[in-house]
Amino acid sequence: MLGFDADLYQRVIGGAGALRSQIDAIVDEVAATGYDSIFLIGSGGSYAAMWPYEHLMTRLSTVPVRSAIAAELVLTGDPRLTERSIAIFSSLSGTTKETVAALEYCRERGVTTIALTGYADSPIAVADHVLVNWADDETASESVDIQLLLLTTALLHRRGEFDDYERLANELADLTSVLTRVQEQADPIAEAFAKKHVETDYHFLVGTGMLWGFTYNYSMCILEEMQWLRTTRVHGAEFFHGSLELIDRDTSLLLFVGEDETRPLMDRVLRFAETYNDDTTVVDTADYPLDGISPEFREFVGPIVVDAITIRFSKHLEAARRHDLTTRRYYRKVEY
């Protein structure tokens, strides 16, 4: 497959799953101390990556959970953020200045901090608990999603709110072969999309539930940041409150459909698209066999699956448009 490094992928995916014992130890410690709230804090893609797990915990738990933009939290504060809170941070490089500042803000207030990073010596590795798994930019999403799914379901399990943690964690031990097969299945679809849209400069993305954070992330951090393409991103439930007026017959409409309880919202969007649009691409996790993943867990691994699918889209867009995914004009290039 174009741009696919099997050894690197094994290192990242297997490495994320191998953090389970460390995650269990962290959760045991914070559960023993006790906590009253959970904050999921990040910037950009790392912020959007928190949304599925806010969604998951809000559905299954009574504990207050909030995903927060790091820079905004430091300016506005939150009276629920106290020494009885857990704050979870993610930054692959560990150098995102807004995330580093938010971590220090939390530490100053006695908040228990947990950091996910790719480097043991990164600035956010000063958190109370640190999970380290190296990844490159293209595999970081899978790494973070696997870790966050393990971490949040472990927290729920210790609270008596998710009895199936042990079984789920065992199935997440090493998803390399499962996700490689997902990429192989998605590759010809992605290649055809890239060839069709080599000149398209505007894409409209829609998702819900466990996939809404991914939809936002792929729109902003991949298509906009890495390909300089104009996009609109909208939640499937909000699509019918004005955004649908932007859809023409030839609008590139990209729908991310998962298997959680919000799927009917995307079915509604798809029905509209089938009637009024001739350029709809559907990425549906239900189309992909996931050997070794129990049917009841498919909704939880949805973000990980679309991570793998859209790596193929990104690599083929990069090649077809001759626009390297690492090229930037402004991000980390100019003062902001």
Side-chain angles (χ1 to χ4, degrees), residues 176-224:
T176 306
S177 61
V178 173
L179 297 178
T180 299
R181 287 193 291 273
V182 166
Q183 289 204 41
E184 290 170 346
Q185 182 178 336
D187 194 61
I189 301 169
E191 183 178 13
F193 178 89
K195 288 180 178 178
K196 179 179 182 179
H197 290 288
V198 66
E199 300 293 340
T200 303
D201 67 353
Y202 174 66
H203 299 271
F204 198 112
L205 288 73
V206 188
T208 62
M210 291 290 289
L211 300 188
W212 168 231
F214 171 85
T215 304
Y216 180 95
N217 188 9
Y218 196 70
S219 170
M220 181 176 67
C221 296
I222 309 299
L223 295 184
E224 291 183 349

mmCIF file of all heavy atoms in Angstrom, residues 176-224:
data_model
loop_
_atom_site.group_PDB
_atom_site.id
_atom_site.type_symbol
_atom_site.label_atom_id
_atom_site.label_comp_id
_atom_site.label_asym_id
_atom_site.label_seq_id
_atom_site.Cartn_x
_atom_site.Cartn_y
_atom_site.Cartn_z
ATOM 1 N N THR A 176 -2.955 -4.432 15.361
ATOM 2 C CA THR A 176 -2.180 -4.202 14.135
ATOM 3 C C THR A 176 -2.759 -4.946 12.942
ATOM 4 O O THR A 176 -2.998 -4.358 11.872
ATOM 5 C CB THR A 176 -0.712 -4.605 14.325
ATOM 6 O OG1 THR A 176 -0.174 -3.936 15.461
ATOM 7 C CG2 THR A 176 0.098 -4.239 13.084
ATOM 8 N N SER A 177 -2.996 -6.243 13.080
ATOM 9 C CA SER A 177 -3.481 -7.028 11.939
ATOM 10 C C SER A 177 -4.891 -6.608 11.545
ATOM 11 O O SER A 177 -5.209 -6.523 10.353
ATOM 12 C CB SER A 177 -3.428 -8.523 12.257
ATOM 13 O OG SER A 177 -4.255 -8.841 13.368
ATOM 14 N N VAL A 178 -5.741 -6.329 12.536
ATOM 15 C CA VAL A 178 -7.111 -5.896 12.249
ATOM 16 C C VAL A 178 -7.105 -4.588 11.460
ATOM 17 O O VAL A 178 -7.792 -4.448 10.436
ATOM 18 C CB VAL A 178 -7.910 -5.721 13.561
ATOM 19 C CG1 VAL A 178 -9.279 -5.097 13.284
ATOM 20 C CG2 VAL A 178 -8.075 -7.051 14.275
ATOM 21 N N LEU A 179 -6.325 -3.614 11.930
ATOM 22 C CA LEU A 179 -6.308 -2.298 11.288
ATOM 23 C C LEU A 179 -5.574 -2.318 9.957
ATOM 24 O O LEU A 179 -5.895 -1.529 9.059
ATOM 25 C CB LEU A 179 -5.693 -1.272 12.235
ATOM 26 C CG LEU A 179 -6.463 -1.033 13.537
ATOM 27 C CD1 LEU A 179 -5.735 -0.026 14.410
ATOM 28 C CD2 LEU A 179 -7.886 -0.572 13.265
ATOM 29 N N THR A 180 -4.613 -3.215 9.815
ATOM 30 C CA THR A 180 -3.950 -3.357 8.513
ATOM 31 C C THR A 180 -4.942 -3.854 7.476
ATOM 32 O O THR A 180 -4.977 -3.364 6.333
ATOM 33 C CB THR A 180 -2.755 -4.314 8.613
ATOM 34 O OG1 THR A 180 -1.794 -3.787 9.550
ATOM 35 C CG2 THR A 180 -2.079 -4.497 7.250
ATOM 36 N N ARG A 181 -5.788 -4.816 7.854
ATOM 37 C CA ARG A 181 -6.808 -5.304 6.924
ATOM 38 C C ARG A 181 -7.826 -4.208 6.604
ATOM 39 O O ARG A 181 -8.321 -4.124 5.469
ATOM 40 C CB ARG A 181 -7.490 -6.542 7.500
ATOM 41 C CG ARG A 181 -6.614 -7.792 7.459
ATOM 42 C CD ARG A 181 -7.393 -9.044 7.734
ATOM 43 N NE ARG A 181 -7.841 -9.117 9.128
ATOM 44 C CZ ARG A 181 -7.117 -9.624 10.122
ATOM 45 N NH1 ARG A 181 -5.906 -10.117 9.878
ATOM 46 N NH2 ARG A 181 -7.599 -9.664 11.342
ATOM 47 N N VAL A 182 -8.137 -3.376 7.579
ATOM 48 C CA VAL A 182 -9.020 -2.236 7.324
ATOM 49 C C VAL A 182 -8.398 -1.329 6.264
ATOM 50 O O VAL A 182 -9.066 -0.899 5.313
ATOM 51 C CB VAL A 182 -9.295 -1.452 8.625
ATOM 52 C CG1 VAL A 182 -9.926 -0.092 8.324
ATOM 53 C CG2 VAL A 182 -10.198 -2.256 9.555
ATOM 54 N N GLN A 183 -7.111 -1.036 6.419
ATOM 55 C CA GLN A 183 -6.439 -0.178 5.441
ATOM 56 C C GLN A 183 -6.424 -0.810 4.056
ATOM 57 O O GLN A 183 -6.628 -0.121 3.045
ATOM 58 C CB GLN A 183 -5.011 0.125 5.900
ATOM 59 C CG GLN A 183 -4.919 1.054 7.096
ATOM 60 C CD GLN A 183 -3.579 1.770 7.152
ATOM 61 O OE1 GLN A 183 -3.064 2.211 6.133
ATOM 62 N NE2 GLN A 183 -3.034 1.897 8.346
ATOM 63 N N GLU A 184 -6.184 -2.109 3.994
ATOM 64 C CA GLU A 184 -6.166 -2.798 2.701
ATOM 65 C C GLU A 184 -7.529 -2.718 2.016
ATOM 66 O O GLU A 184 -7.610 -2.525 0.801
ATOM 67 C CB GLU A 184 -5.749 -4.254 2.905
ATOM 68 C CG GLU A 184 -4.282 -4.416 3.295
ATOM 69 C CD GLU A 184 -3.930 -5.818 3.737
ATOM 70 O OE1 GLU A 184 -4.857 -6.624 4.010
ATOM 71 O OE2 GLU A 184 -2.727 -6.131 3.824
ATOM 72 N N GLN A 185 -8.607 -2.860 2.789
ATOM 73 C CA GLN A 185 -9.947 -2.770 2.220
ATOM 74 C C GLN A 185 -10.259 -1.344 1.766
ATOM 75 O O GLN A 185 -10.898 -1.131 0.729
ATOM 76 C CB GLN A 185 -10.980 -3.228 3.248
ATOM 77 C CG GLN A 185 -12.414 -3.212 2.741
ATOM 78 C CD GLN A 185 -13.405 -3.729 3.774
ATOM 79 O OE1 GLN A 185 -13.042 -4.487 4.679
ATOM 80 N NE2 GLN A 185 -14.661 -3.321 3.667
ATOM 81 N N ALA A 186 -9.794 -0.360 2.531
ATOM 82 C CA ALA A 186 -10.094 1.039 2.225
ATOM 83 C C ALA A 186 -9.227 1.594 1.098
ATOM 84 O O ALA A 186 -9.606 2.597 0.463
ATOM 85 C CB ALA A 186 -9.903 1.897 3.479
ATOM 86 N N ASP A 187 -8.105 0.986 0.819
ATOM 87 C CA ASP A 187 -7.123 1.582 -0.085
ATOM 88 C C ASP A 187 -7.671 1.873 -1.482
ATOM 89 O O ASP A 187 -7.501 2.996 -1.990
ATOM 90 C CB ASP A 187 -5.887 0.685 -0.171
ATOM 91 C CG ASP A 187 -4.713 1.408 -0.810
ATOM 92 O OD1 ASP A 187 -4.268 2.432 -0.255
ATOM 93 O OD2 ASP A 187 -4.267 0.959 -1.888
ATOM 94 N N PRO A 188 -8.339 0.933 -2.150
ATOM 95 C CA PRO A 188 -8.844 1.265 -3.494
ATOM 96 C C PRO A 188 -9.931 2.329 -3.462
ATOM 97 O O PRO A 188 -10.054 3.122 -4.413
ATOM 98 C CB PRO A 188 -9.380 -0.076 -4.009
ATOM 99 C CG PRO A 188 -9.583 -0.923 -2.792
ATOM 100 C CD PRO A 188 -8.553 -0.489 -1.811
ATOM 101 N N ILE A 189 -10.717 2.387 -2.403
ATOM 102 C CA ILE A 189 -11.743 3.420 -2.259
ATOM 103 C C ILE A 189 -11.078 4.780 -2.127
ATOM 104 O O ILE A 189 -11.482 5.769 -2.758
ATOM 105 C CB ILE A 189 -12.630 3.128 -1.032
ATOM 106 C CG1 ILE A 189 -13.299 1.768 -1.163
ATOM 107 C CG2 ILE A 189 -13.662 4.240 -0.834
ATOM 108 C CD1 ILE A 189 -13.969 1.280 0.114
ATOM 109 N N ALA A 190 -10.035 4.817 -1.313
ATOM 110 C CA ALA A 190 -9.306 6.065 -1.095
ATOM 111 C C ALA A 190 -8.602 6.527 -2.358
ATOM 112 O O ALA A 190 -8.583 7.722 -2.680
ATOM 113 C CB ALA A 190 -8.296 5.872 0.037
ATOM 114 N N GLU A 191 -8.017 5.583 -3.088
ATOM 115 C CA GLU A 191 -7.333 5.940 -4.335
ATOM 116 C C GLU A 191 -8.313 6.541 -5.338
ATOM 117 O O GLU A 191 -8.026 7.558 -5.984
ATOM 118 C CB GLU A 191 -6.656 4.713 -4.931
ATOM 119 C CG GLU A 191 -5.862 5.021 -6.188
ATOM 120 C CD GLU A 191 -5.146 3.802 -6.746
ATOM 121 O OE1 GLU A 191 -5.465 2.667 -6.312
ATOM 122 O OE2 GLU A 191 -4.266 3.991 -7.610
ATOM 123 N N ALA A 192 -9.495 5.939 -5.457
ATOM 124 C CA ALA A 192 -10.500 6.458 -6.377
ATOM 125 C C ALA A 192 -10.977 7.846 -5.950
ATOM 126 O O ALA A 192 -11.179 8.730 -6.787
ATOM 127 C CB ALA A 192 -11.686 5.491 -6.449
ATOM 128 N N PHE A 193 -11.146 8.053 -4.643
ATOM 129 C CA PHE A 193 -11.565 9.358 -4.132
ATOM 130 C C PHE A 193 -10.529 10.421 -4.480
ATOM 131 O O PHE A 193 -10.868 11.518 -4.943
ATOM 132 C CB PHE A 193 -11.757 9.281 -2.619
ATOM 133 C CG PHE A 193 -12.148 10.585 -1.974
ATOM 134 C CD1 PHE A 193 -13.477 10.944 -1.837
ATOM 135 C CD2 PHE A 193 -11.173 11.462 -1.486
ATOM 136 C CE1 PHE A 193 -13.848 12.150 -1.248
ATOM 137 C CE2 PHE A 193 -11.528 12.671 -0.895
ATOM 138 C CZ PHE A 193 -12.872 13.015 -0.779
ATOM 139 N N ALA A 194 -9.260 10.101 -4.248
ATOM 140 C CA ALA A 194 -8.196 11.073 -4.498
ATOM 141 C C ALA A 194 -8.105 11.429 -5.973
ATOM 142 O O ALA A 194 -7.924 12.601 -6.342
ATOM 143 C CB ALA A 194 -6.868 10.532 -3.991
ATOM 144 N N LYS A 195 -8.225 10.443 -6.850
ATOM 145 C CA LYS A 195 -8.160 10.707 -8.292
ATOM 146 C C LYS A 195 -9.342 11.555 -8.741
ATOM 147 O O LYS A 195 -9.200 12.466 -9.561
ATOM 148 C CB LYS A 195 -8.122 9.390 -9.059
ATOM 149 C CG LYS A 195 -6.800 8.653 -8.932
ATOM 150 C CD LYS A 195 -6.810 7.350 -9.707
ATOM 151 C CE LYS A 195 -5.456 6.654 -9.608
ATOM 152 N NZ LYS A 195 -5.460 5.336 -10.327
ATOM 153 N N LYS A 196 -10.510 11.279 -8.190
ATOM 154 C CA LYS A 196 -11.700 12.036 -8.554
ATOM 155 C C LYS A 196 -11.620 13.473 -8.073
ATOM 156 O O LYS A 196 -12.102 14.395 -8.742
ATOM 157 C CB LYS A 196 -12.939 11.357 -7.969
ATOM 158 C CG LYS A 196 -14.244 12.075 -8.267
ATOM 159 C CD LYS A 196 -15.434 11.323 -7.682
ATOM 160 C CE LYS A 196 -16.740 12.027 -8.033
ATOM 161 N NZ LYS A 196 -17.922 11.297 -7.486
ATOM 162 N N HIS A 197 -10.989 13.657 -6.901
ATOM 163 C CA HIS A 197 -11.026 14.969 -6.255
ATOM 164 C C HIS A 197 -9.682 15.692 -6.270
ATOM 165 O O HIS A 197 -9.442 16.559 -5.438
ATOM 166 C CB HIS A 197 -11.525 14.818 -4.819
ATOM 167 C CG HIS A 197 -12.971 14.458 -4.726
ATOM 168 N ND1 HIS A 197 -13.974 15.354 -5.026
ATOM 169 C CD2 HIS A 197 -13.588 13.293 -4.399
ATOM 170 C CE1 HIS A 197 -15.151 14.758 -4.877
ATOM 171 N NE2 HIS A 197 -14.953 13.508 -4.497
ATOM 172 N N VAL A 198 -8.842 15.354 -7.208
ATOM 173 C CA VAL A 198 -7.531 15.983 -7.252
ATOM 174 C C VAL A 198 -7.636 17.499 -7.421
ATOM 175 O O VAL A 198 -6.781 18.249 -6.927
ATOM 176 C CB VAL A 198 -6.675 15.346 -8.371
ATOM 177 C CG1 VAL A 198 -7.256 15.649 -9.748
ATOM 178 C CG2 VAL A 198 -5.229 15.788 -8.279
ATOM 179 N N GLU A 199 -8.686 17.984 -8.083
ATOM 180 C CA GLU A 199 -8.861 19.416 -8.286
ATOM 181 C C GLU A 199 -9.930 20.023 -7.376
ATOM 182 O O GLU A 199 -10.157 21.234 -7.409
ATOM 183 C CB GLU A 199 -9.228 19.703 -9.748
ATOM 184 C CG GLU A 199 -8.195 19.248 -10.763
ATOM 185 C CD GLU A 199 -6.894 20.028 -10.658
ATOM 186 O OE1 GLU A 199 -6.913 21.147 -10.091
ATOM 187 O OE2 GLU A 199 -5.854 19.519 -11.115
ATOM 188 N N THR A 200 -10.594 19.206 -6.585
ATOM 189 C CA THR A 200 -11.658 19.702 -5.707
ATOM 190 C C THR A 200 -11.044 20.464 -4.547
ATOM 191 O O THR A 200 -10.153 19.956 -3.867
ATOM 192 C CB THR A 200 -12.504 18.528 -5.162
ATOM 193 O OG1 THR A 200 -13.036 17.787 -6.263
ATOM 194 C CG2 THR A 200 -13.632 19.024 -4.278
ATOM 195 N N ASP A 201 -11.518 21.682 -4.294
ATOM 196 C CA ASP A 201 -10.915 22.475 -3.219
ATOM 197 C C ASP A 201 -11.875 22.717 -2.051
ATOM 198 O O ASP A 201 -11.564 23.486 -1.147
ATOM 199 C CB ASP A 201 -10.394 23.810 -3.749
ATOM 200 C CG ASP A 201 -11.500 24.749 -4.215
ATOM 201 O OD1 ASP A 201 -12.673 24.318 -4.263
ATOM 202 O OD2 ASP A 201 -11.180 25.903 -4.538
ATOM 203 N N TYR A 202 -13.041 22.043 -2.081
ATOM 204 C CA TYR A 202 -13.997 22.231 -0.984
ATOM 205 C C TYR A 202 -14.685 20.905 -0.686
ATOM 206 O O TYR A 202 -15.216 20.244 -1.593
ATOM 207 C CB TYR A 202 -15.043 23.280 -1.358
ATOM 208 C CG TYR A 202 -16.155 23.451 -0.340
ATOM 209 C CD1 TYR A 202 -15.899 23.943 0.928
ATOM 210 C CD2 TYR A 202 -17.461 23.113 -0.654
ATOM 211 C CE1 TYR A 202 -16.915 24.094 1.865
ATOM 212 C CE2 TYR A 202 -18.496 23.271 0.267
ATOM 213 C CZ TYR A 202 -18.208 23.761 1.526
ATOM 214 O OH TYR A 202 -19.215 23.904 2.441
ATOM 215 N N HIS A 203 -14.660 20.502 0.598
ATOM 216 C CA HIS A 203 -15.293 19.263 1.036
ATOM 217 C C HIS A 203 -16.159 19.549 2.258
ATOM 218 O O HIS A 203 -15.786 20.344 3.136
ATOM 219 C CB HIS A 203 -14.234 18.214 1.387
ATOM 220 C CG HIS A 203 -13.349 17.838 0.240
ATOM 221 N ND1 HIS A 203 -13.648 16.827 -0.645
ATOM 222 C CD2 HIS A 203 -12.158 18.362 -0.175
ATOM 223 C CE1 HIS A 203 -12.689 16.736 -1.551
ATOM 224 N NE2 HIS A 203 -11.766 17.656 -1.288
ATOM 225 N N PHE A 204 -17.282 18.857 2.340
ATOM 226 C CA PHE A 204 -18.256 19.048 3.416
ATOM 227 C C PHE A 204 -18.305 17.749 4.216
ATOM 228 O O PHE A 204 -18.664 16.695 3.690
ATOM 229 C CB PHE A 204 -19.621 19.364 2.801
ATOM 230 C CG PHE A 204 -20.604 19.983 3.745
ATOM 231 C CD1 PHE A 204 -21.009 21.297 3.586
ATOM 232 C CD2 PHE A 204 -21.131 19.255 4.799
ATOM 233 C CE1 PHE A 204 -21.934 21.874 4.454
ATOM 234 C CE2 PHE A 204 -22.047 19.812 5.669
ATOM 235 C CZ PHE A 204 -22.449 21.131 5.510
ATOM 236 N N LEU A 205 -17.934 17.811 5.494
ATOM 237 C CA LEU A 205 -17.804 16.612 6.316
ATOM 238 C C LEU A 205 -18.871 16.590 7.409
ATOM 239 O O LEU A 205 -19.128 17.609 8.060
ATOM 240 C CB LEU A 205 -16.422 16.538 6.969
ATOM 241 C CG LEU A 205 -15.237 16.206 6.058
ATOM 242 C CD1 LEU A 205 -14.875 17.375 5.155
ATOM 243 C CD2 LEU A 205 -14.023 15.803 6.878
ATOM 244 N N VAL A 206 -19.463 15.399 7.637
ATOM 245 C CA VAL A 206 -20.518 15.235 8.624
ATOM 246 C C VAL A 206 -20.263 13.962 9.441
ATOM 247 O O VAL A 206 -19.891 12.918 8.890
ATOM 248 C CB VAL A 206 -21.909 15.141 7.966
ATOM 249 C CG1 VAL A 206 -23.014 15.156 9.027
ATOM 250 C CG2 VAL A 206 -22.124 16.267 6.955
ATOM 251 N N GLY A 207 -20.469 14.051 10.748
ATOM 252 C CA GLY A 207 -20.354 12.888 11.627
ATOM 253 C C GLY A 207 -21.147 13.118 12.897
ATOM 254 O O GLY A 207 -21.625 14.229 13.163
ATOM 255 N N THR A 208 -21.284 12.079 13.711
ATOM 256 C CA THR A 208 -22.014 12.169 14.976
ATOM 257 C C THR A 208 -21.368 11.259 16.011
ATOM 258 O O THR A 208 -20.491 10.453 15.700
ATOM 259 C CB THR A 208 -23.484 11.727 14.821
ATOM 260 O OG1 THR A 208 -23.511 10.349 14.408
ATOM 261 C CG2 THR A 208 -24.241 12.564 13.839
ATOM 262 N N GLY A 209 -21.824 11.395 17.251
ATOM 263 C CA GLY A 209 -21.478 10.449 18.307
ATOM 264 C C GLY A 209 -19.997 10.220 18.470
ATOM 265 O O GLY A 209 -19.196 11.164 18.541
ATOM 266 N N MET A 210 -19.608 8.958 18.498
ATOM 267 C CA MET A 210 -18.212 8.595 18.685
ATOM 268 C C MET A 210 -17.331 9.083 17.538
ATOM 269 O O MET A 210 -16.107 9.136 17.685
ATOM 270 C CB MET A 210 -18.076 7.069 18.822
ATOM 271 C CG MET A 210 -18.650 6.488 20.092
ATOM 272 S SD MET A 210 -17.725 6.914 21.579
ATOM 273 C CE MET A 210 -16.215 5.942 21.369
ATOM 274 N N LEU A 211 -17.928 9.445 16.399
ATOM 275 C CA LEU A 211 -17.139 9.878 15.244
ATOM 276 C C LEU A 211 -17.177 11.386 15.011
ATOM 277 O O LEU A 211 -16.565 11.875 14.061
ATOM 278 C CB LEU A 211 -17.596 9.154 13.971
ATOM 279 C CG LEU A 211 -17.482 7.633 13.969
ATOM 280 C CD1 LEU A 211 -17.769 7.082 12.591
ATOM 281 C CD2 LEU A 211 -16.122 7.163 14.464
ATOM 282 N N TRP A 212 -17.880 12.133 15.852
ATOM 283 C CA TRP A 212 -17.947 13.572 15.627
ATOM 284 C C TRP A 212 -16.587 14.226 15.863
ATOM 285 O O TRP A 212 -16.146 15.071 15.079
ATOM 286 C CB TRP A 212 -19.019 14.204 16.501
ATOM 287 C CG TRP A 212 -18.968 15.704 16.550
ATOM 288 C CD1 TRP A 212 -18.968 16.484 17.668
ATOM 289 C CD2 TRP A 212 -18.907 16.623 15.440
ATOM 290 N NE1 TRP A 212 -18.896 17.817 17.337
ATOM 291 C CE2 TRP A 212 -18.856 17.934 15.969
ATOM 292 C CE3 TRP A 212 -18.877 16.452 14.068
ATOM 293 C CZ2 TRP A 212 -18.790 19.068 15.163
ATOM 294 C CZ3 TRP A 212 -18.795 17.585 13.260
ATOM 295 C CH2 TRP A 212 -18.763 18.869 13.806
ATOM 296 N N GLY A 213 -15.896 13.853 16.912
ATOM 297 C CA GLY A 213 -14.566 14.413 17.151
ATOM 298 C C GLY A 213 -13.622 14.112 16.006
ATOM 299 O O GLY A 213 -12.833 14.969 15.584
ATOM 300 N N PHE A 214 -13.696 12.888 15.478
ATOM 301 C CA PHE A 214 -12.860 12.540 14.338
ATOM 302 C C PHE A 214 -13.202 13.397 13.128
ATOM 303 O O PHE A 214 -12.312 13.859 12.407
ATOM 304 C CB PHE A 214 -13.016 11.065 13.970
ATOM 305 C CG PHE A 214 -12.335 10.739 12.676
ATOM 306 C CD1 PHE A 214 -10.997 10.438 12.644
ATOM 307 C CD2 PHE A 214 -13.033 10.821 11.476
ATOM 308 C CE1 PHE A 214 -10.343 10.203 11.440
ATOM 309 C CE2 PHE A 214 -12.394 10.588 10.269
ATOM 310 C CZ PHE A 214 -11.047 10.276 10.256
ATOM 311 N N THR A 215 -14.489 13.618 12.876
ATOM 312 C CA THR A 215 -14.925 14.424 11.737
ATOM 313 C C THR A 215 -14.322 15.820 11.802
ATOM 314 O O THR A 215 -13.795 16.345 10.818
ATOM 315 C CB THR A 215 -16.461 14.505 11.712
ATOM 316 O OG1 THR A 215 -17.000 13.177 11.691
ATOM 317 C CG2 THR A 215 -16.953 15.289 10.504
ATOM 318 N N TYR A 216 -14.409 16.417 12.962
ATOM 319 C CA TYR A 216 -13.824 17.749 13.195
ATOM 320 C C TYR A 216 -12.321 17.710 12.951
ATOM 321 O O TYR A 216 -11.756 18.582 12.274
ATOM 322 C CB TYR A 216 -14.137 18.170 14.626
ATOM 323 C CG TYR A 216 -13.615 19.517 15.045
ATOM 324 C CD1 TYR A 216 -14.417 20.654 14.979
ATOM 325 C CD2 TYR A 216 -12.321 19.661 15.548
ATOM 326 C CE1 TYR A 216 -13.945 21.892 15.387
ATOM 327 C CE2 TYR A 216 -11.835 20.897 15.950
ATOM 328 C CZ TYR A 216 -12.653 22.003 15.872
ATOM 329 O OH TYR A 216 -12.176 23.226 16.275
ATOM 330 N N ASN A 217 -11.676 16.691 13.494
ATOM 331 C CA ASN A 217 -10.226 16.557 13.398
ATOM 332 C C ASN A 217 -9.776 16.367 11.949
ATOM 333 O O ASN A 217 -8.833 17.027 11.483
ATOM 334 C CB ASN A 217 -9.775 15.361 14.248
ATOM 335 C CG ASN A 217 -8.268 15.262 14.370
ATOM 336 O OD1 ASN A 217 -7.529 16.141 13.970
ATOM 337 N ND2 ASN A 217 -7.808 14.154 14.931
ATOM 338 N N TYR A 218 -10.457 15.487 11.204
ATOM 339 C CA TYR A 218 -10.031 15.228 9.838
ATOM 340 C C TYR A 218 -10.238 16.449 8.954
ATOM 341 O O TYR A 218 -9.425 16.747 8.077
ATOM 342 C CB TYR A 218 -10.776 14.022 9.252
ATOM 343 C CG TYR A 218 -10.094 13.486 8.016
ATOM 344 C CD1 TYR A 218 -8.870 12.834 8.113
ATOM 345 C CD2 TYR A 218 -10.644 13.652 6.747
ATOM 346 C CE1 TYR A 218 -8.208 12.355 6.991
ATOM 347 C CE2 TYR A 218 -9.995 13.185 5.622
ATOM 348 C CZ TYR A 218 -8.777 12.541 5.742
ATOM 349 O OH TYR A 218 -8.109 12.085 4.627
ATOM 350 N N SER A 219 -11.307 17.175 9.221
ATOM 351 C CA SER A 219 -11.578 18.396 8.473
ATOM 352 C C SER A 219 -10.497 19.443 8.714
ATOM 353 O O SER A 219 -9.904 19.977 7.766
ATOM 354 C CB SER A 219 -12.948 18.945 8.890
ATOM 355 O OG SER A 219 -13.168 20.224 8.379
ATOM 356 N N MET A 220 -10.222 19.724 9.992
ATOM 357 C CA MET A 220 -9.330 20.833 10.336
ATOM 358 C C MET A 220 -7.852 20.453 10.232
ATOM 359 O O MET A 220 -7.054 21.188 9.641
ATOM 360 C CB MET A 220 -9.631 21.337 11.749
ATOM 361 C CG MET A 220 -8.757 22.506 12.185
ATOM 362 S SD MET A 220 -9.210 23.160 13.808
ATOM 363 C CE MET A 220 -8.763 21.787 14.873
ATOM 364 N N CYS A 221 -7.493 19.318 10.807
ATOM 365 C CA CYS A 221 -6.069 18.997 10.966
ATOM 366 C C CYS A 221 -5.465 18.235 9.796
ATOM 367 O O CYS A 221 -4.238 18.165 9.684
ATOM 368 C CB CYS A 221 -5.860 18.208 12.259
ATOM 369 S SG CYS A 221 -6.280 19.150 13.743
ATOM 370 N N ILE A 222 -6.300 17.643 8.961
ATOM 371 C CA ILE A 222 -5.767 16.931 7.798
ATOM 372 C C ILE A 222 -6.087 17.693 6.515
ATOM 373 O O ILE A 222 -5.198 18.200 5.840
ATOM 374 C CB ILE A 222 -6.322 15.486 7.723
ATOM 375 C CG1 ILE A 222 -6.147 14.767 9.061
ATOM 376 C CG2 ILE A 222 -5.635 14.744 6.574
ATOM 377 C CD1 ILE A 222 -4.704 14.627 9.510
ATOM 378 N N LEU A 223 -7.370 17.798 6.180
ATOM 379 C CA LEU A 223 -7.714 18.416 4.899
ATOM 380 C C LEU A 223 -7.328 19.887 4.852
ATOM 381 O O LEU A 223 -6.833 20.380 3.833
ATOM 382 C CB LEU A 223 -9.205 18.240 4.619
ATOM 383 C CG LEU A 223 -9.674 16.798 4.425
ATOM 384 C CD1 LEU A 223 -11.148 16.772 4.066
ATOM 385 C CD2 LEU A 223 -8.847 16.061 3.384
ATOM 386 N N GLU A 224 -7.537 20.611 5.959
ATOM 387 C CA GLU A 224 -7.171 22.036 5.969
ATOM 388 C C GLU A 224 -5.676 22.211 6.218
ATOM 389 O O GLU A 224 -4.966 22.814 5.408
ATOM 390 C CB GLU A 224 -7.993 22.775 7.028
ATOM 391 C CG GLU A 224 -9.462 22.875 6.666
ATOM 392 C CD GLU A 224 -10.291 23.668 7.663
ATOM 393 O OE1 GLU A 224 -9.793 23.984 8.768
ATOM 394 O OE2 GLU A 224 -11.444 23.977 7.350
#
